[in-house]
């Protein structure tokens, strides 16, 4: 079976052709500079092959066409006919309050995604472009929308409501939504399997740590709380995002420096986080670690702040769950940052977290990194959002 997984951005489109049963990826790639000139980078893992082509891509339709053409290409293709693509799964950022799970795409689904554009103004329009491009180029092919927010819709009102006048919740749906949901769902599900397969009372905290970072508290396979909020700006300080701040900080900056609300928000999203704390050295944690090793105090502060805030969230989520059975690290920093994992876990000894220094040296592989005696099991589990999207797509399409 072949599921084509699409993640459409405003000027880019990532894709993977994969088997949802095995997770095997036949081909993957990236279309970029859509609307400008267009470039396709295509990889075939089994052949260790990679090709880059400059292809005019004025819209997402041309990008999808380029993807489909190379999938059946004589030299770099992996299928003989587009009939071998069984369905298409799309990552969609914001499902608002209407989507608590993935769904087959129809006109009603597309209209609901449009209605969520005010909640996801940067991503939802691009996601829709990807969907409509596939409809144009692959008419009649089953398509499924998998929402970043859906996994978090099991939160209780005490977790998702903001302490602001009710009218803003009722009229404008202003509440905590959370993101990275497909990753949190995949990783928490895999953690339950590794912990024996019984999820009913299992208490898991997932740390999705990377340039964009979020945590989730999961009990019995259902999300109880998550660190991102109405937007992905909330929670931890990230690569370029500030994370949680006092709202009056924004007001002060806007008033003193004559910024508009949009300009201030852009600064908080694109010029803050560890990039700002490191005095502009980098938003890449590898650069920060290299700088800190050379004695750069700003780089060290950026790392310390990130790790400190992660530790605080873990502690609060353990309290919210009423205990903790399993702590999981995933995503770029979580999977490949043994130093960060060690510093975070060092402050969690009071909860029964004991990290094994040798096991913790792992990078990018699934592994138990806690000691055998640790009361809380600590895992590194590589995330695979694309596989989760492919599996949902196959299930909904009856493949």
């Amino acid at each position: 079976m072949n599921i084509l997984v699409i993640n459409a951005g405003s000027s880019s489109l990532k894709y993977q052709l994969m088997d949802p049963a095995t997770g095997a990826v036949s081909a993957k790639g990236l279309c970029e500079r859509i609307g400008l000139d267009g470039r396709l980078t295509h990889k075939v893992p089994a052949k260790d092959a990679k090709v880059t082509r400059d292809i005019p891509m004025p819209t997402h339709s041309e990008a999808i066409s380029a993807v489909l053409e190379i999938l059946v290409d004589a030299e770099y293709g992996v299928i003989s006919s587009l009939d071998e693509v069984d369905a298409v799964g799309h990552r969609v950022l914001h499902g608002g309050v209407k989507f608590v799970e993935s769904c087959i795409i129809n006109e009603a689904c597309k209209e609901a995604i449009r209605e969520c554009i005010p909640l996801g103004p940067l991503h939802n329009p691009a996601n829709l472009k990807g969907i409509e491009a596939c409809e144009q180029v692959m008419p009649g092919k089953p398509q499924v929308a998998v929402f970043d927010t859906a996994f978090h819709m099991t939160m209780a009102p005490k977790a998702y409501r903001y302490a602001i006048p009710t009218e803003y919740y009722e009229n404008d749906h202003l509440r905590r939504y959370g993101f990275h949901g497909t990753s949190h769902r995949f990783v928490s599900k895999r953690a339950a399997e590794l912990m024996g397969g019984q999820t009913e009372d299992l208490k898991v905290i997932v740390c999705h740590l990377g340039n964009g970072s979020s945590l989730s508290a999961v009990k019995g396979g259902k999300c109880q709380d998550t660190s991102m909020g109405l937007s992905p700006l909330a929670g931890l300080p990230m690569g370029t995002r500030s994370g949680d701040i006092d709202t009056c900080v924004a007001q002060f900056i806007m008033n003193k420096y004559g910024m508009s609300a949009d300009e201030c928000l852009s600064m908080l999203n694109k010029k803050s986080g560890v990039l700002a704390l490191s005095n502009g050295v980098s938003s890449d944690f590898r650069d920060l670690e290299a700088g800190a090793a050379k004695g750069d105090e700003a780089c060290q502060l950026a790392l310390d702040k990130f790790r400190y805030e992660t530790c605080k969230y873990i502690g609060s989520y353990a309290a919210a769950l009423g205990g903790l059975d399993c702590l999981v690290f995933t995503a770029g920093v979580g999977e490949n940052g043994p130093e960060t994992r060690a510093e975070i876990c060092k402050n969690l000894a009071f909860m029964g977290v004991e990290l094994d220094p040798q096991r913790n040296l792992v990078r990018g592989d699934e592994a138990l990194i806690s000691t055998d005696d640790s009361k809380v099991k600590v895992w590194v589990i590589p995330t695979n959002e694309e596989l989760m999207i492919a599996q949902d797509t196959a299930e909904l399409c009856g493949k």
Side-chain angles (χ1 to χ4, degrees), residues 1-317:
M1 181 185 304
N2 291 308
I3 301 296
L4 180 60
V5 176
I6 299 291
N7 183 354
S10 58
S11 61
S12 65
L13 185 147
K14 297 177 183 178
Y15 66 92
Q16 288 193 17
L17 186 67
M18 66 191 315
D19 184 339
T22 65
V25 177
S26 303
K28 61 181 179 179
L30 169 67
C31 295
E32 51 190 336
R33 300 180 62 83
I34 299 172
L36 296 175
D37 41 19
R39 174 171 293 173
L40 169 69
T41 300
H42 178 78
K43 299 177 182 179
V44 182
K47 299 178 181 178
D48 195 25
K50 175 181 176 181
V51 60
T52 299
R53 293 177 178 174
D54 292 327
I55 301 172
M57 298 178 188
T59 72
H60 284 70
S61 291
E62 287 80 13
I64 291 291
S65 293
V67 170
L68 299 180
E69 287 176 11
I70 201 157
L71 288 176
V72 296
D73 183 83
E75 184 176 0
Y76 294 102
V78 293
I79 54 177
S80 57
S81 165
L82 294 180
D83 291 338
E84 295 180 44
V85 177
D86 295 290
V88 184
H90 294 265
R91 175 183 179 264
V92 179
L93 179 83
H94 220 301
V97 298
K98 294 191 174 184
F99 296 102
V100 299
E101 58 187 6
S102 303
C103 71
I104 292 178
I105 295 172
N106 53 28
E107 289 303 317
C109 173
K110 289 194 293 180
E111 182 56 34
I113 294 173
R114 288 189 189 96
E115 291 174 6
C116 291
I117 286 177
L119 298 173
L122 297 178
H123 295 84
N124 273 39
N127 301 151
L128 268 173
K129 287 180 181 179
I131 291 169
E132 292 172 343
C134 284
E135 288 178 333
Q136 181 178 345
V137 178
M138 309 169 71
K141 189 71 68 175
Q143 298 192 74
V144 167
V146 180
F147 299 91
D148 240 19
T149 53
F151 179 65
H152 305 304
M153 294 306 290
T154 54
M155 290 187 293
K158 64 182 179 182
Y160 69 70
R161 282 290 299 272
Y162 290 125
I164 58 177
T166 301
E167 62 190 271
Y168 300 120
Y169 169 69
E170 293 181 341
N171 298 338
D172 304 302
H173 308 297
L174 299 185
R175 50 160 283 172
R176 181 179 302 280
Y177 286 99
F179 300 90
H180 296 141
T182 309
S183 173
H184 285 286
R185 180 158 66 103
F186 176 86
V187 171
S188 58
K189 180 182 177 183
R190 179 58 183 155
E193 294 170 353
L194 292 168
M195 293 289 287
Q198 297 184 6
T199 63
E200 184 175 350
D201 298 315
L202 190 68
K203 300 166 184 174
V204 180
I205 294 176
V206 177
C207 302
H208 179 110
L209 306 181
N211 193 267
S213 297
S214 64
L215 279 77
S216 65
V218 182
K219 184 176 181 180
K222 298 184 182 298
C223 180
Q224 308 298 308
D225 208 341
T226 190
S227 59
M228 286 180 168
L230 175 72
S231 79
L233 182 58
L236 303 177
M238 306 171 220
T240 62
R241 296 178 186 140
S242 67
D244 294 336
I245 62 167
D246 184 338
T247 309
C248 289
V249 172
Q251 180 197 36
F252 182 95
I253 292 172
M254 290 166 64
N255 288 341
K256 182 171 182 179
Y257 297 98
M259 280 190 185
S260 68
D262 286 346
E263 288 171 338
C264 187
L265 194 63
S266 178
M267 177 272 293
L268 293 173
N269 269 296
K270 299 178 180 179
K271 297 180 180 179
S272 301
V274 296
L275 173 67
L277 288 170
S278 67
N279 289 334
V281 170
S282 184
S283 61
D284 190 308
F285 284 80
R286 292 168 294 187
D287 295 337
L288 299 179
E289 289 176 353
K294 295 177 182 177
D296 189 314
E297 293 183 0
C299 288
Q300 188 61 58
L301 172 62
L303 293 171
D304 289 345
K305 175 69 172 175
F306 178 77
R307 295 162 179 174
Y308 175 71
E309 295 295 337
T310 302
C311 204
K312 282 171 59 178
Y313 262 104
I314 293 170
S316 66
Y317 282 176

